[in-house]
Amino acid sequence: MAIFMPQINHQPAGGLEIHTGSSRDPKFALLGTIGFNRLTGEIVFFDGRKDRNEFDWSSPFVPPGGHSYSDRVGRAFAEALYDQTFQVQCYACHDNKNPYVINPHAQQARVGYFGGKDDPRAVAFSLGDYLPETPRNERAPFRVIGSGYTSTHNVELGRAKTIRDPAGNCTACHTLTTQITGRRFAADAAAQEPWISKPTWAQALELREEKKKYAHVGIRRTDWALRSGAGKIHPWMVPGNGNQLSALPPAISSADWRRLSNCLWDAGGAECGYRPLYTPCPAPGSKSQGDGSAPTDTSIAVFPLPLGESEATQVVRVRWKYLNGYGNVPQRDDVRFNVAVKWTAIPLSGEPPSAGDYPSLDETKGQNFAVIGGEFGNSGAIKLIQNISYFGHSRFTEPMPSTDLRDFRIDLPAKCNRRYLVRILPKRFCFDQSIMAYGTTDHLLYADALCD
């Protein structure tokens, strides 16, 4: 479900004007790539290094991290190709819950025939005055991933919000935000100057600069783009009329625009319906956030230990199955497991343990983790094994793509006549503004290691 969209533009030396260039010329000045997953809303940005003024598409580009952990040559090429400082604020324009600056869904709904319903082509192809709700509205999941990028721009990402048009004109088809899609693109689309009712000193400075940009864009419009009457395209964000371009739809009123612009500059109130633009990293198994994956077929069993192996006489084997199906990415590898183990004497009654007998959630998260060796150590009064991957997966190797449940297994040395209580906790390494998200469902197992 990943979409990769290279933004390859030709830029002449000594200027900022962008042109398409010659299709025969493989060299260009700007490189930008976006990766997007429609199901999860995960979006990632990569740019070419800023100390290079020439790129060449005559040979394939290496992926940002190389082809694998062991691809040292590819990773070295990637380091020389991609900007490690993340200077470009891609998130500010590609922020309407889509990877596109202009939403093609709304664009499709907005195009029709000048003859309207009387045009014979409209019967088969035109959408008439129907304007469907955008499939990715302000409630859709959307988050920037990449620890380097998000740490560089974490303040702006945390402040960004979606808004609802108080007059109901514009946000039924477009997702607008308090970033560039709102402040600049909405003003451009409505042919209205940016405005704030009571700007702060900082907002006043930003508003002045934005008005300059708005005027600069206006100067460069063609006469055709500015014309009125049938087929006019500016302003194009208009209330009503659907995609009926043969009519002369009314522009958004100044009063409605000012209410909307106030919201877009994060200067409004409850009427703006503010929501955080970027959604949090979903915990494993959080169906409400689009991840229904959870451990299944959990089991625990006691086996004799082969003679001479250790001081222990038995093995407690804990098993479960799990497929990280979030976003339908067979190679996804952002979930690991913590397994906390606690042992007690077996009660004479043999009654099963209560929930409070198991390792606590905080202990399983390793809040007071003291390393004994590698990923094994003490967490409070229990033993903890961290970051368990599927059975057979070697560290620092790429996971094999899979659409089947993967097998997880851990063997614990056990002594006679003890009860072993186990908590299994999945956690997602988020690689964005947060560190990790833990599952919230209890996965508790116990076994009694009885000896003759």
Side-chain angles (χ1 to χ4, degrees):
M1 295 302 294
I3 299 174
F4 295 95
M5 300 174 298
Q7 298 176 312
I8 301 174
N9 301 303
H10 287 265
Q11 181 184 42
L16 295 177
E17 295 295 327
I18 304 298
H19 62 89
T20 57
S22 169
S23 61
R24 297 180 180 178
D25 181 6
K27 297 181 180 180
F28 54 96
L30 301 177
L31 169 64
T33 303
I34 299 174
F36 183 67
N37 186 301
R38 292 188 185 278
L39 295 180
T40 66
E42 293 166 302
I43 190 166
V44 63
F45 305 108
F46 292 101
D47 281 292
R49 285 180 63 112
K50 299 310 169 190
D51 55 0
R52 292 180 56 173
N53 56 14
E54 186 175 279
F55 300 89
D56 191 329
W57 66 35
S58 60
S59 59
F61 295 134
V62 66
H67 293 281
S68 68
Y69 288 113
S70 59
D71 182 14
R72 296 182 180 180
V73 175
R75 291 169 79 89
F77 272 121
E79 189 171 345
L81 178 66
Y82 296 102
D83 176 25
Q84 306 294 316
T85 61
F86 308 108
Q87 297 177 44
V88 179
Q89 297 173 316
C90 308
Y91 65 87
C93 294
H94 300 274
D95 65 344
N96 61 341
K97 302 284 187 172
N98 261 303
Y100 311 99
V101 172
I102 297 177
N103 187 327
H105 175 84
Q107 185 182 40
Q108 178 190 28
R110 192 67 185 85
V111 173
Y113 295 97
F114 295 159
K117 294 181 180 179
D118 297 328
D119 191 310
R121 295 172 298 177
V123 176
F125 301 107
S126 178
L127 295 174
D129 61 357
Y130 174 61
L131 283 176
E133 285 275 347
T134 173
R136 295 197 64 82
N137 58 30
E138 74 275 8
R139 295 180 180 272
F142 190 66
R143 66 187 182 102
V144 181
I145 61 173
S147 53
Y149 193 96
T150 55
S151 64
T152 300
H153 301 290
N154 67 319
V155 174
E156 294 85 355
L157 295 174
R159 290 175 178 171
K161 302 172 184 175
T162 61
I163 68 105
R164 294 294 287 177
D165 182 356
N169 290 318
C170 300
T171 52
C173 297
H174 306 276
T175 301
L176 300 179
T177 79
T178 55
Q179 299 189 126
I180 297 298
T181 54
R183 296 183 178 187
R184 187 168 304 166
F185 296 156
D188 171 64
Q192 296 275 359
E193 191 176 64
W195 183 86
I196 305 175
S197 57
K198 296 179 181 180
T200 64
W201 179 77
Q203 286 175 327
L205 294 178
E206 289 182 289
L207 184 63
R208 184 176 66 182
E209 292 303 311
E210 198 60 43
K211 287 182 177 180
K212 290 180 181 178
K213 292 182 174 68
Y214 176 80
H216 187 69
V217 170
I219 292 172
R220 293 171 176 270
R221 293 193 184 282
T222 64
D223 291 338
W224 181 82
L226 291 169
R227 69 178 179 161
S228 61
K232 77 169 187 175
I233 67 167
H234 186 70
W236 56 268
M237 192 185 290
V238 295
N241 289 90
N243 66 346
Q244 178 55 275
L245 299 183
S246 59
L248 183 58
I252 186 173
S253 70
S254 295
D256 283 353
W257 166 251
R258 289 190 170 192
R259 293 170 66 194
L260 174 59
S261 184
N262 221 33
C263 292
L264 295 171
W265 283 82
D266 203 6
E271 75 280 2
C272 301
Y274 288 123
R275 298 176 62 91
L277 169 61
Y278 298 104
T279 48
C281 174
S286 54
K287 294 182 180 180
S288 62
Q289 298 183 62
D291 184 7
S293 303
T296 62
D297 299 337
T298 57
S299 66
I300 186 169
V302 180
F303 296 95
L305 190 72
L307 293 176
E309 288 291 331
S310 72
E311 295 181 2
T313 58
Q314 294 179 310
V315 169
V316 172
R317 176 166 295 170
V318 182
R319 300 187 69 171
W320 66 96
K321 292 183 181 294
Y322 177 78
L323 176 66
N324 190 354
Y326 184 51
N328 288 348
V329 181
Q331 302 94 333
R332 183 178 288 275
D333 188 35
D334 59 355
V335 171
R336 292 286 187 272
F337 288 84
N338 282 7
V339 172
V341 185
K342 177 181 178 181
W343 52 85
T344 64
I346 301 173
L348 295 176
S349 63
E351 63 183 3
S354 63
D357 294 331
Y358 288 89
S360 71
L361 191 60
D362 286 343
E363 288 173 325
T364 312
K365 289 181 179 179
Q367 291 189 357
N368 297 306
F369 184 67
V371 177
I372 295 176
E375 300 290 347
F376 174 71
N378 296 316
S379 180
I382 60 94
K383 299 296 182 183
L384 180 64
I385 306 98
Q386 296 191 123
N387 305 325
I388 298 170
S389 184
Y390 63 89
F391 188 70
H393 182 200
S394 300
R395 193 175 186 181
F396 298 126
T397 62
E398 298 291 333
M400 294 297 294
S402 177
T403 56
D404 297 322
L405 290 169
R406 299 185 191 273
D407 188 38
F408 290 74
R409 189 180 83 186
I410 183 167
D411 287 346
L412 306 169
K415 293 188 177 182
C416 289
N417 301 319
R418 290 185 181 181
R419 170 167 287 179
Y420 289 84
L421 302 112
V422 174
R423 181 188 289 270
I424 302 170
L425 181 65
K427 60 182 181 181
R428 168 164 281 118
F429 289 90
C430 297
F431 305 114
D432 58 10
Q433 300 97 317
S434 55
I435 299 174
M436 62 186 68
Y438 290 93
T440 56
T441 303
D442 283 334
H443 302 284
L444 307 176
L445 301 168
Y446 82 97
D448 292 335
L450 297 170
C451 295
D452 293 337

